[in-house]
Amino acid sequence: MPQPQKDRPWLFRTYAGHSTAAASNALYRGNLAKGQTGLSVAFDLPTQTGYDSDHVLAKGEVGKVGVPVSHLGDMRALFNNIPLDQMNTSMTINATAPWLLSLYIAVAEEQGADISALQGTVQNDIIKEYLSRGTYICPPEPSLRMITDVAAYTREHLPKWNPMNVCSYHLQEVGATPEEELAFALATATAVLDDLKDKVPAAHFPAMVGRISFFVNAGIRFVTELCKMRAFVELWDEICANRYGVEDAKYRRFRYGVQVNSLGLTEQQPENNVYRILLETLAVTLSKNARARAVQLPAWNEALGLPRPWDQQWSLRMQQILAYETDLLEFDDLFDGNPAIDRKVNELKDGARAELAQIDGMGGAVGAIAYMKSRLVESNAARIGGIEKGDTTVVGVNKWQAGEPSPLTAGDDAIMVSDPKAEADQLRRLKAWKANRDDAAVKDALTALHNAAKDGSNIMPPSIECARAGVTTGEWSDVIRSVFGQYRAPTGVSSNPSNRTEGLEDLREQVDLVSTALGRRLKFLVGKPGLDGHSNGAEQIAARARDCGMDIDYEGIRLTPEEIVTAAQNGDVHVIGLSILSGSHIPLVRDVMTRLRAEGMTHIPVIAGGIIPDEDADELRAMGVARVYTPKDFELNKIMDDIVTLVDPRSVAAE
């Protein structure tokens, strides 16, 4: 009996990068040998935010959440023995996307590759960075210009390259509803295309519309998520045809990659995450007409720390079993004509259109950044409130908490930790790189970059020259900062007193009593030291503290320990909360505590939150941290009660 014809499977990717370029290269080659069919590069926070590994803000962050790439030598080592003209590479990079693409092109040239044959994607989506991830550098307008500079350059020189990957993934990670994820991502795409229209010949514009890709999220409500993907397909086709007059259907195709939801992965009973990941994968693979072109899956233990190669392999095997052992790829779309699916798709489209109209009325995505940010903070608050009240069931978290200890988390090597020697090694090699390059060539290249940024020329050609000359990530970014300026995005959290009192009456009364005992309103400083831009936890803590009647001080992301201590001193605060999700909690908290002692401010209690292993929590407490919270501490009211108790002068006196 003849075998049925199968569709080609999607690209199998694993989001990876850590410690050093050489260590990450070994990981990539190992994953490719296991059957991975595309690369997905994770860069560390200094690289993402435009700092060299030796910058003061990079301390403790080097190699933590991705690979450090400070110059051409690092990029060369990252792709050693990986022929780039045979690879499909996705680089999750935004503010420094022109620079990392320039380094990639320079390495491909060294390999003798045909640059026009390079295939892959730079994420290059700054708007979602203002809303969710926080690795922006410049204000929105020049950032938008650099996005479209990349797009215009790739049209001419890298015709198979996707110059932008509109990223709704992080929008869902900070609480976006399906309608918000649809609308905010599509508004971002139209903002980019509106700016790009004048940078490419009219005859080539439809093809450029076809090169815009998307990177989405799929949560646990997988039927709704499947419908969201079908809504994305239909809305994008509608926008391309009606707004941009794209006639060729292939250029209106909604092309997307996906990583399924990490927000819903639980520290409690983490083995349950395997089922969550599988179900979420079905949302983006079951419907043929809305199937992802590339899938990368988180590992089951990412709520605990860095996944090991084995954990990543397990997620890769999940994809391979779905694609090759099941009959999924042998059928036409399973959902066409399904009335329940059609109803939900239309409902999501109507909700997204309403949001899009609101955003358009504000002048588009750039003008609506503050509005979108506040909506995301509100939606995430509603999500967390549903879990706290039990309206939303999370197995092992707010229901059926009792269970057997997991053998998967036993032992000292249950999660991977970053190499503590990696940062010193990176700094040594960076110093050697700067000492052995042609300083005159570096100076000339940076001058040309400055002139292009200033006069409106495309940023890519001088950036590629900078890459060839040996310029570093920090030097490239310093020029960009000097011309375009830096930016601090809205936090989405108002410091004004709140009228939200439902379920908070007792806490508000306690805050009032303690404030009376203190002689003024209880003041709480929420700080995010280092480069970690995942701010949703800090935002929710700040918003709940405000709703409980506290006076909050929250300035957003990317503060130095010195700035946090100065703010605490100037603001005469009663308690300090530090939020760090990048794994850099030990050095950053130690720095804050040392500075507090030096200023005679040890009377101010400090609490810390993040993805913090038990042994690290013990070390933080030994430094003097009063409370440590991790993702398992989902009851924000309990945290608020702890804060009130910590600063209550009556309880301190009683002790």
Side-chain angles (χ1 to χ4, degrees), residues 317-497:
R317 295 294 182 249
M318 188 184 297
Q319 292 200 59
Q320 291 168 325
I321 290 166
L322 182 60
Y324 293 116
E325 292 192 22
T326 78
D327 56 357
L328 172 65
L329 299 179
E330 297 170 15
F331 291 90
D332 293 334
D333 196 289
L334 307 177
F335 302 96
D336 283 353
N338 182 308
I341 295 292
D342 288 346
R343 275 196 305 274
K344 185 62 178 176
V345 169
N346 288 329
E347 176 188 314
L348 292 172
K349 285 165 62 178
D350 288 344
R353 285 195 192 101
E355 280 287 358
L356 281 166
Q358 181 84 7
I359 293 166
D360 277 342
M362 297 178 173
V366 170
I369 285 171
Y371 163 77
M372 291 190 287
K373 179 66 176 179
S374 64
R375 286 297 303 266
L376 292 171
V377 171
E378 290 170 6
S379 294
N380 204 20
R383 182 191 68 84
I384 292 170
I387 296 171
E388 284 185 288
K389 290 183 283 189
D391 297 339
T392 300
T393 296
V394 182
V395 174
V397 173
N398 62 358
K399 204 166 187 180
W400 305 299
Q401 294 98 327
E404 300 299 323
S406 170
L408 292 174
T409 58
D412 294 335
D413 61 348
I415 58 170
M416 187 171 72
V417 295
S418 58
D419 182 355
K421 298 177 183 177
E423 183 167 344
D425 178 56
Q426 175 70 9
L427 295 179
R428 177 186 57 77
R429 287 183 292 100
L430 175 59
K431 184 177 180 180
W433 177 268
K434 289 180 178 178
N436 293 319
R437 62 188 180 170
D438 183 340
D439 289 340
V442 168
K443 184 178 179 181
D444 289 346
L446 288 171
T447 298
L449 175 67
H450 183 277
N451 293 340
K454 199 86 173 172
D455 68 22
S457 302
N458 192 298
I459 211 79
M460 285 300 296
S463 295
I464 295 169
E465 284 303 319
C466 284
R468 293 170 181 149
V471 166
T472 66
T473 296
E475 290 166 341
W476 181 90
S477 302
D478 283 346
V479 170
I480 297 302
R481 278 185 271 262
S482 71
V483 176
F484 298 140
Q486 296 196 75
Y487 182 71
R488 183 166 289 279
T491 66
V493 182
S494 169
S495 59
N496 295 327

Side-chain angles (χ1 to χ4, degrees), residues 44-56:
D44 74 354
L45 288 172
T47 305
Q48 291 184 52
T49 50
Y51 295 104
D52 284 335
S53 300
D54 58 0
H55 193 278
V56 62

